[in-house]
Amino acid sequence: MDRSRGWQGSSVPEDRTEAGIKHFLEDMDDAGLNKFVKDFPGSENCHQPEAKTWGSRPQVLEPRPQAPDLYQDDLEFRPPSWPQASDSQQYCSASAPLSPSARPRSPWGKLDPYDSSEDDKEYVGFATLPNQVHRKSVKKGFDFTLMVAGESGLGKSTLVNSLFLTDLYRDRKLLSAEERIMQTVEITKHAVDIEEKGVRLRLTIVDTPGFGDAVNNTECWKPVAEYIDQQFEQYFRDESGLNRKNIQDNRVHCCLYFISPFGHGLRPLDVEFMKALHQRVNIVPILAKADTLTPPEVERKKRKIREEIERFGIKVYQFPDCDSDEDEDFKLQDQALKESIPFAVIGSNTVVEARGRRVRGRLYPWGIVEVENPGHCDFVKLRTMLVRTHMQDLKDVTRETHYENYRAQCIQSMTRLVVKERNRKPWAQSKQVLGSP
Ligand code: GDP
């Protein structure tokens, strides 16, 4: 099969595994390969999502500050991650079909809302497809990885606990000022399984203790960027391996970036961090500890931060546009959500009594601020967005935009290596021209 012709017709290799891509590239003639290097949407011209409903999605157009150099210049493809000896049993059994009891139960019968109708002869049954998908996903469970970043003391852990009503930071050890001066940025992970009405969510919180704490914070975004890339790399390898059934997806779906309420807008560190990461992850900016500001101050700070985000060319997560047939209420809510950026939040792990009700809030000598009161802060908006309305979209953008860009860059690096290898071995070309085996 002439695969290079297929590529020139701008199709993709059929076998998308690492080895498949390598073969595909090796079989391609020189003209095709050069065209590929020029045209392929890699670091110079990253993948852009199709213009679906989200006209204003963050489109990754510039080279990322640090291209992941998976294969460097060693002219060797790293071997795919073969299963270890101890994995062999699992690997062999993985190809066997799932036992009937392990598979989702048949959706026919009771679940089919139209099945009983004798009159409806036109009914084929694919209207049950959403039910089938729903059952399967509920059975499988959901996962979501949320990163929190920003200077320590801005209320990240308090907010995460308030958002998910769990104590995710039980074992946290707070460092003294002296220790923090020397501390480098660490990445820590806390995972928790939450269940609500029979739906299971595996939530992973990735924290970045030490971020912005040192005297010199130059490039303290680097370990965070590396962590995100490592998760993409792991996923790329798993996806290119032989057993793709139980891939664990650790890709970071969203990063809540905490901005101090005490500065005048963004600090250089905030700009640096967001610019370095906006092509890797969905950034949602947060104005921390909003109870330390008056309402006009909150508005002013929000406006300033929005202007600076625009001015510095930072692409934070963009909410998809509403469908035109949505009802007016929904459209207004959606508009309010978009105008709330950066979300001004208050966190608290204590329940206090306010106007005869027990609420999550902060008690001051002059009154109570309620975390879940929309008149006091944007906590409810943030939680609704993150959990109820946009969790799936955050995952989709991670997969379709951020991961695709990473993948495209990897494939481009591999292509460059093949070209380099060919240029170093002219005998290989002549062998191909002569058609020798
Ligand atoms: P982290 O280091 O960013 O995780 O910050 P923590 O969540 O540990 O919070 C640091 C301190 O700020 C604690 O004393 C919290 O009680 C307090 N805090 C957390 N959230 C808020 C908030 O929204 N407003 C105010 N005023 N204080 C807060």
Side-chain angles (χ1 to χ4, degrees), residues 46-333:
C46 288
H47 171 87
Q48 295 177 32
E50 302 143 37
K52 286 198 214 159
T53 45
W54 49 77
S56 49
R57 277 254 180 273
Q59 299 195 347
V60 181
L61 297 169
E62 323 148 18
R64 292 168 19 156
Q66 256 233 321
D69 213 350
L70 258 187
Y71 304 104
Q72 304 237 327
D73 262 353
D74 55 6
L75 292 185
E76 277 296 325
F77 288 103
R78 288 202 205 158
S81 44
W82 296 103
Q84 304 294 308
S86 57
D87 289 338
S88 59
Q89 207 177 349
Q90 187 198 355
Y91 162 59
C92 291
S93 61
S95 55
L98 285 174
S99 75
S101 61
R103 295 210 307 265
R105 284 221 328 272
S106 160
W108 306 115
K110 278 185 227 154
L111 259 178
D112 185 342
Y114 307 99
D115 209 24
S116 57
S117 167
E118 266 298 298
D119 316 329
D120 198 353
K121 301 286 183 225
E122 299 295 296
Y123 173 63
V124 175
F126 51 80
T128 62
L129 274 172
N131 284 348
Q132 297 176 38
V133 174
H134 173 85
R135 279 173 61 83
K136 211 169 168 176
S137 355
V138 167
K139 193 172 164 92
K140 200 169 152 221
F142 296 83
D143 52 48
F144 189 70
T145 301
L146 177 70
M147 175 180 264
V148 284
E151 218 180 283
S152 62
L154 284 183
K156 298 183 295 296
S157 37
T158 310
L159 188 83
V160 166
N161 286 339
S162 317
L163 277 172
F164 298 100
L165 301 177
T166 49
D167 187 5
L168 274 146
Y169 290 82
R170 238 168 283 131
D171 320 321
R172 185 164 75 144
K173 184 177 155 263
L174 290 174
L175 299 180
S176 66
E178 206 178 24
E179 285 168 315
R180 274 192 284 144
I181 291 175
M182 306 305 294
Q183 199 199 2
T184 49
V185 182
E186 263 181 64
I187 308 285
T188 58
K189 258 168 78 167
H190 310 261
V192 62
D193 286 308
I194 319 178
E195 188 165 335
E196 192 180 77
K197 298 189 178 173
V199 177
R200 279 177 301 119
L201 173 70
R202 179 154 188 84
L203 174 72
T204 307
I205 302 292
V206 179
D207 202 348
T208 56
F211 177 83
D213 281 356
V215 174
N216 180 359
N217 288 307
T218 324
E219 301 203 325
C220 74
W221 51 267
K222 264 193 172 164
V224 185
E226 272 162 21
Y227 177 84
I228 294 174
D229 282 350
Q230 276 162 15
Q231 308 316 307
F232 282 149
E233 181 184 339
Q234 188 58 50
Y235 195 85
F236 184 57
R237 285 176 182 284
D238 289 349
E239 209 185 32
S240 315
L242 283 174
N243 184 2
R244 306 201 299 169
K245 247 182 208 150
N246 299 312
I247 297 182
Q248 176 133 27
D249 184 2
N250 289 319
R251 294 172 293 184
V252 180
H253 301 120
C254 178
C255 171
L256 299 182
Y257 186 74
F258 285 64
I259 299 163
S260 168
F262 308 120
H264 298 284
L266 298 178
R267 293 164 312 156
L269 180 61
D270 301 330
V271 176
E272 225 188 29
F273 178 91
M274 290 197 269
K275 281 196 87 162
L277 291 224
H278 66 174
Q279 292 169 343
R280 292 173 160 95
V281 67
N282 296 310
I283 296 178
V284 174
I286 302 286
L287 180 57
K289 298 191 173 179
D291 56 324
T292 57
L293 302 167
T294 62
E297 280 172 335
V298 168
E299 273 324 303
R300 230 177 298 135
K301 289 237 150 102
K302 280 188 169 197
R303 211 175 318 118
K304 181 115 199 279
I305 291 169
R306 279 198 298 264
E307 276 165 20
E308 287 178 335
I309 283 176
E310 176 93 27
R311 179 146 52 89
F312 290 109
I314 297 166
K315 310 267 191 304
V316 294
Y317 171 65
Q318 297 287 316
F319 300 105
D321 293 339
C322 252
D323 285 338
S324 51
D325 57 351
E326 293 289 1
D327 64 46
E328 282 310 308
D329 267 5
F330 184 87
K331 282 186 185 162
L332 285 176
Q333 263 182 24

Side-chain angles (χ1 to χ4, degrees), residues 40-50 58-61 397 399-409:
F40 196 84
S43 50
E44 282 84 8
N45 182 20
C46 288
H47 171 87
Q48 295 177 32
E50 302 143 37
Q59 299 195 347
V60 181
L61 297 169
V397 177
R399 196 187 61 239
E400 292 168 13
T401 305
H402 301 302
Y403 175 63
E404 272 306 299
N405 285 336
Y406 177 86
R407 200 174 160 276
Q409 288 191 353

Side-chain angles (χ1 to χ4, degrees), residues 18 21-26 30 33-34 36-38 40 68-79 236-237 408-425 428-429:
E18 217 170 290
I21 291 162
K22 191 178 175 225
H23 279 134
F24 168 79
L25 295 169
E26 281 170 353
D30 280 354
L33 204 52
N34 286 335
F36 174 82
V37 175
K38 237 172 67 209
F40 196 84
D69 213 350
L70 258 187
Y71 304 104
Q72 304 237 327
D73 262 353
D74 55 6
L75 292 185
E76 277 296 325
F77 288 103
R78 288 202 205 158
F236 184 57
R237 285 176 182 284
Q409 288 191 353
C410 285
I411 296 175
Q412 198 189 34
S413 313
M414 289 156 90
T415 316
R416 286 219 177 96
L417 279 176
V418 174
V419 173
K420 221 167 171 181
E421 202 171 4
R422 258 189 210 181
N423 291 344
R424 280 204 192 166
K425 293 183 195 161
Q429 281 174 20

